[in-house]
Amino acid sequence: MLAVLSVALMVVDARFDTLKPLRSHLGQVLTPFYWLAEQPVRLWRGVSQQFSSRDELIAENEKLKAEALLLQRRLQKLATLTEQNVRLRELLNSAALVDDKVLVSELIGVDPNPFTHRILIDKGEKDGVFLGQPVLDALGLMGQVVEVMPYTARVLLLTDSTHSIPVQVNRNGLRAIAIGTGNPESLELRHVADTADIKEGDLLVSSGLGQRFPAGYPVATVREVIHDPAQPFAVVRVQPTARLNRSRHLLLVFSDPRSPEQRAAEAALAQEAADRQAAGAPAPESVPPAPVPDAAESPAPAAAPAGPSTQGVR
């Protein structure tokens, strides 16, 4: 009977439109049952998609972290190269302003003794480096060579407690002696009269006395001047212009060994020869100038006169 009834309903539904309203109402009644029957499938799909999305996000996050680290490394390298380029440009500009022959060197070591301010550079005797040779960076004097090896040299910095250098105030020419204090950021002027014309901000340059450091190179700037009426001398603390604990590329200076009189005489002869040549007259014979030793073949300078020296290692 049920089979006959089912066949009859199918024939009536296919041939006539009588059962359409009934089918529509039955569809509305059965919709919640369809939704309930589909919930387990939807729940399973949602959970599996959630876990798969989380795994994908974790993998993508790890990948992005690795890429960010690589980019940061490249950025740091680029920043280092940029800073090195700036320092080299400053050094080249300083070399262009220096009249003497110079040789570029690089710092390769620092003395671990905290009470000694010495550094090691990558130029030595094979490059013409000699004892007492001045060393400077892009901003000013750093020190002098105190030990020469075939391919390296050791430099004593200005701030070492055993080092002193004669200086003068660039504003008025007042002479003094700058003594190392053991602090890489400070020097001290000794025996400056309490009434001396010196004030904060004055630039100190090398005076050239002692014939070790050439004259006119920046040494330090006055940071503090203390006047004590009970003391005959003022306390003057200065700050080195060179970046003693930061500079990596340095300049070795090869000074002209000729005396000022020789340089003046040779300059006058050269000017007279140029004037005669411009006028069409033959140039007179003159004594050839003293040869200037090359940086790579420059011999060690003559020893300083005997007696106490205000320069170099005490």
Side-chain angles (χ1 to χ4, degrees):
M1 293 179 60
L2 292 176
V4 172
L5 181 59
S6 299
V7 172
L9 289 175
M10 287 188 290
V11 171
V12 171
D13 185 48
R15 298 286 183 177
F16 307 99
D17 297 332
T18 306
L19 297 179
K20 284 184 178 181
L22 180 61
R23 188 171 62 250
S24 177
H25 291 299
L26 288 176
Q28 292 179 358
V29 173
L30 295 176
T31 298
F33 296 98
Y34 293 152
W35 183 81
L36 288 175
E38 197 176 0
Q39 284 307 305
V41 178
R42 289 185 177 180
L43 182 61
W44 173 254
R45 289 178 180 174
V47 171
S48 61
Q49 185 176 4
Q50 182 72 19
F51 279 103
S52 63
S53 299
R54 184 174 179 275
D55 293 338
E56 291 176 359
L57 288 176
I58 291 175
E60 186 177 1
N61 192 16
E62 294 295 332
K63 181 180 178 181
L64 291 176
K65 284 183 179 179
E67 291 180 356
L69 288 176
L70 291 176
L71 291 177
Q72 281 184 341
R73 184 190 64 82
R74 294 178 181 177
L75 185 61
Q76 291 174 0
K77 190 68 174 179
L78 181 61
T80 302
L81 292 176
T82 302
E83 291 298 328
Q84 185 178 5
N85 190 17
V86 171
R87 290 194 297 267
L88 289 175
R89 286 180 179 273
E90 291 176 353
L91 193 64
L92 290 175
N93 186 31
S94 176
L97 297 177
V98 174
D99 295 332
D100 302 315
K101 186 176 180 61
V102 295
L103 177 66
V104 179
S105 64
E106 185 174 358
L107 184 146
I108 59 175
V110 178
D111 196 322
N113 186 355
F115 302 103
T116 302
H117 294 184
R118 299 190 181 196
I119 59 176
L120 192 67
I121 59 177
D122 64 345
K123 294 294 185 293
E125 187 177 2
K126 299 294 185 182
D127 303 291
V129 179
F130 55 88
L131 287 176
Q133 186 170 14
V135 180
L136 65 153
D137 68 355
L139 299 179
L141 281 171
M142 291 190 65
Q144 60 176 308
V145 176
V146 294
E147 184 180 354
V148 180
M149 290 160 280
Y151 298 100
T152 58
R154 203 173 301 277
V155 177
L156 183 69
L157 300 181
L158 298 178
T159 52
D160 189 271
S161 58
T162 62
H163 192 279
S164 61
I165 175 175
V167 297
Q168 65 182 19
V169 180
N170 192 47
R171 177 171 56 87
N172 54 18
L174 177 67
R175 292 189 297 272
I177 298 177
I179 307 295
T181 61
N183 183 354
E185 298 291 337
S186 177
L187 296 171
E188 186 175 341
L189 298 187
R190 296 289 177 86
H191 309 304
V192 177
D194 192 62
T195 58
D197 182 15
I198 187 171
K199 58 184 179 180
E200 295 182 10
D202 281 343
L203 175 65
L204 303 178
V205 298
S206 56
S207 63
L209 301 178
Q211 299 180 357
R212 178 60 58 88
F213 291 98
Y217 288 103
V219 176
T221 54
V222 178
R223 184 179 60 186
E224 184 181 13
V225 180
I226 302 176
H227 297 281
D228 188 357
Q231 300 294 332
F233 301 110
V235 178
V236 183
R237 297 187 177 93
V238 299
Q239 182 175 4
T241 57
R243 295 172 291 191
L244 301 180
N245 55 354
R246 293 187 293 273
S247 294
R248 187 176 183 87
H249 296 87
L250 316 174
L251 290 175
L252 295 166
V253 180
F254 295 86
S255 301
D256 193 344
R258 296 176 298 173
S259 64
E261 292 78 8
Q262 289 177 340
R263 290 196 294 268
E266 292 170 7
L269 289 175
Q271 183 64 36
E272 183 180 356
D275 294 341
R276 288 180 177 275
Q277 185 176 3
E285 295 182 358
S286 59
V287 180
V292 180
D294 187 71
E297 301 177 357
S298 176
S309 173
T310 60
Q311 191 140 327
V313 183
R314 298 203 304 275

